[in-house]
């Protein structure tokens, strides 16, 4: 596996995916945003402090930014509180002549968000967004304590959505049930996304990884997964009847997933879902080609009152545009160096 460049360099530009929620300050540096402030230390080893040395607060949602320095254990268990269903929307616009875009709204209870860049020695560099309330960090003040910093050492294991330096993007949404295959190494329902970001360059490679693990939903709602890559391939992965079911896979103009199971749901019925139907109408009309403004408008059109963040990933350019708290006029822009 070719080793990617170090992650997280700011870009005074906008990167787009295709779907749901955001907040940002144009031109802000990914390394040291103009609105940022350093977090204070205390109580950690020198090695752990080094891993977290770039931690900065970006806005008052709060959104934080971190370039995680060093390795982490992909299969370490992280105990999180089980909560009611996530409500999320994810879409892919296959604008292969310019920049295929993967976007999502994370719709849930308010909590701090962390834009996390990782560059493990044995995997691809990536950028992801983490809901840090699942690490016990519920306010900006929590990030400045030794306890909070210790919790942040586990942040790489909980990507809620993300993109790696090969142009693979992943994200999840809750569904009524998920009953997948038994056998293989058991991993958490969010951890599988970290494994895919670290190890898979394409949707095909990610699907093979899904088949190697047994997913544990003990600490989360049942989920399905949405994948897309820079070649234009995309797929919905669902765990149905004791097997992994791949739905809606292919190099089509657009694809997406919200909070219903695709397997067994006819295409016409899918469009009866308000968010999916709205996105489908927009993406059909655009034939999968949306610029940054159009993509953010689509995310806005399917946002809910509890949309916490909206993010767009450019799968060829590595550009990331993030909005928090539905403050659509304030976009945070970053770039992941791509291979």
């Amino acid at each position: 596996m070719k080793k990617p460049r170090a992650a997280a360099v700011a870009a005074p530009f906008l990167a787009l995916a295709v779907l749901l929620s955001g907040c940002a300050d144009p031109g802000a540096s990914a390394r040291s945003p103009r609105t940022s402030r350093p977090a204070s230390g205390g109580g950690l080893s020198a090695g752990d402090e080094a891993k977290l040395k770039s931690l900065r607060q970006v806005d008052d949602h709060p959104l934080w930014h971190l370039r995680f320095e060093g390795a982490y254990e992909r299969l370490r268990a992280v105990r999180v509180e089980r909560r009611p269903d996530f409500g999320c929307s994810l879409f892919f616009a296959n604008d292969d002549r310019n920049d295929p875009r993967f976007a999502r709204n994370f719709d849930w209870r308010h909590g701090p968000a962390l834009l996390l860049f990782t560059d493990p020695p044995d995997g691809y560099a990536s950028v992801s967004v983490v809901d840090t309330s699942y690490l016990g960090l519920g306010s900006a003040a929590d990030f400045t304590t030794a306890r909070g910093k210790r919790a942040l050492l586990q942040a790489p294991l909980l990507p809620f959505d993300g993109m790696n330096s090969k142009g693979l993007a992943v994200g999840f949404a809750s569904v009524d049930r998920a009953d997948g295959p038994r056998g293989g190494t058991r991993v958490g329902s969010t951890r599988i996304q970290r494994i895919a970001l670290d190890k898979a360059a394409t949707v095909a490679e990610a699907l093979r990884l899904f088949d190697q693990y047994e997913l544990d939903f003990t600490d989360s709602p049942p989920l399905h997964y949405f994948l897309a890559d820079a070649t234009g391939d995309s797929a919905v992965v669902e765990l149905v009847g004791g097997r992994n079911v791949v739905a809606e896979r292919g190099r089509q103009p657009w694809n997406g997933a919200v909070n219903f199971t695709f397997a067994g749901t006819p295409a016409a019925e899918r469009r009866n879902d308000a968010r999916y139907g709205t996105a489908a109408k927009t993406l059909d009309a655009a034939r999968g080609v949306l610029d940054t403004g159009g993509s953010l408008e689509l995310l806005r059109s399917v946002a809910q009152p509890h949309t916490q963040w909206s993010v767009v990933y450019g799968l060829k350019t590595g550009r990331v545009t993030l909005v928090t708290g539905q403050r659509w006029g304030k976009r945070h822009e970053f770039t992941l160096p791509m291979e």
Side-chain angles (χ1 to χ4, degrees):
M1 178 185 300
K2 181 182 176 183
K3 191 68 188 71
R5 292 183 286 168
V9 180
F13 202 88
L14 193 106
L16 212 308
V18 145
L19 211 19
L20 288 64
S21 219
C23 146
D25 183 10
S29 167
R31 293 189 184 274
S32 55
R34 285 175 294 186
T35 56
S36 68
R37 60 181 178 84
S40 61
L44 299 180
S45 70
D48 287 343
E49 287 282 4
K51 290 180 178 180
L52 304 176
K53 66 183 179 181
S54 70
L55 182 65
R56 296 288 186 277
Q57 185 174 348
V58 178
D59 72 15
D60 62 358
H61 178 72
L63 171 68
W64 291 73
H65 170 273
L66 173 64
R67 280 187 304 113
F68 189 92
E69 299 288 346
Y72 42 84
E73 298 178 31
R74 284 186 197 87
L75 301 181
R76 179 186 298 173
V78 176
R79 192 75 183 174
V80 297
E81 173 193 357
R82 181 182 172 92
R83 301 181 182 181
D85 289 355
F86 301 88
C88 302
S89 306
L90 304 99
F91 294 88
F92 173 60
N94 188 14
D95 183 4
D96 55 3
R97 291 174 298 178
N98 297 297
D99 193 17
R101 296 177 175 98
F102 180 101
R104 85 111 92 206
N105 277 344
F106 180 63
D107 304 338
W108 188 225
R109 183 180 303 162
H110 181 266
L114 175 69
L115 184 70
L116 176 68
F117 287 83
T118 54
D119 192 6
D122 58 346
Y124 299 120
S126 67
V127 57
S128 59
V129 188
V130 178
D131 179 347
T132 64
S133 65
Y134 284 79
L135 294 168
L137 307 180
S139 71
D142 291 339
F143 286 73
T144 67
T145 66
R147 180 194 66 81
K149 285 188 155 187
R150 284 193 292 271
L152 283 172
L153 294 171
Q154 307 301 311
L157 306 182
L158 292 174
F160 280 51
D161 52 66
M163 170 184 69
N164 69 19
S165 59
K166 299 296 287 188
L168 175 77
V170 298
F172 57 67
S174 68
V175 288
D176 290 339
R177 63 175 300 174
D179 178 23
R182 299 293 180 260
T185 303
R186 198 175 194 191
V187 299
S189 56
T190 305
R191 192 68 42 76
I192 188 64
Q193 297 198 143
R194 168 51 59 200
I195 293 169
L197 289 170
D198 288 353
K199 297 296 186 182
T202 63
V203 168
E205 291 180 10
L207 294 176
R208 287 195 289 271
L209 285 171
F210 269 81
D211 287 338
Q212 295 174 22
Y213 293 91
E214 176 185 340
L215 300 189
D216 180 5
F217 292 98
T218 302
D219 293 320
S220 78
L223 304 173
H224 65 177
Y225 300 85
F226 185 55
L227 313 171
D229 66 33
T231 74
D233 196 5
S234 63
V236 179
V237 182
E238 299 179 332
L239 290 75
V240 179
R243 64 191 182 97
N244 289 341
V245 175
V246 179
E248 293 300 301
R249 184 179 177 196
R251 288 175 173 80
Q252 48 203 335
W254 67 271
N255 203 349
V258 293
N259 305 109
F260 60 80
T261 302
F262 276 62
T265 304
E269 285 188 24
R270 297 172 189 172
R271 294 183 180 236
N272 290 334
D273 178 271
R275 283 177 286 134
Y276 188 86
T278 296
K281 183 177 180 180
T282 298
L283 289 162
D284 278 343
R287 298 182 180 179
V289 178
L290 290 177
D291 62 11
T292 295
S295 298
L296 287 175
E297 281 302 314
L298 175 56
L299 296 177
R300 186 174 186 172
S301 72
V302 294
Q304 302 184 83
H306 52 291
T307 295
Q308 296 303 309
W309 72 72
S310 302
V311 62
V312 178
Y313 298 103
L315 303 189
K316 287 185 177 178
T317 63
R319 291 167 179 159
V320 181
T321 300
L322 180 64
V323 173
T324 57
Q326 302 187 59
R327 291 175 287 189
W328 303 103
K330 189 177 184 183
R331 306 172 187 176
H332 300 296
E333 299 160 358
F334 305 85
T335 296
L336 174 71
M338 307 298 277
E339 292 189 41

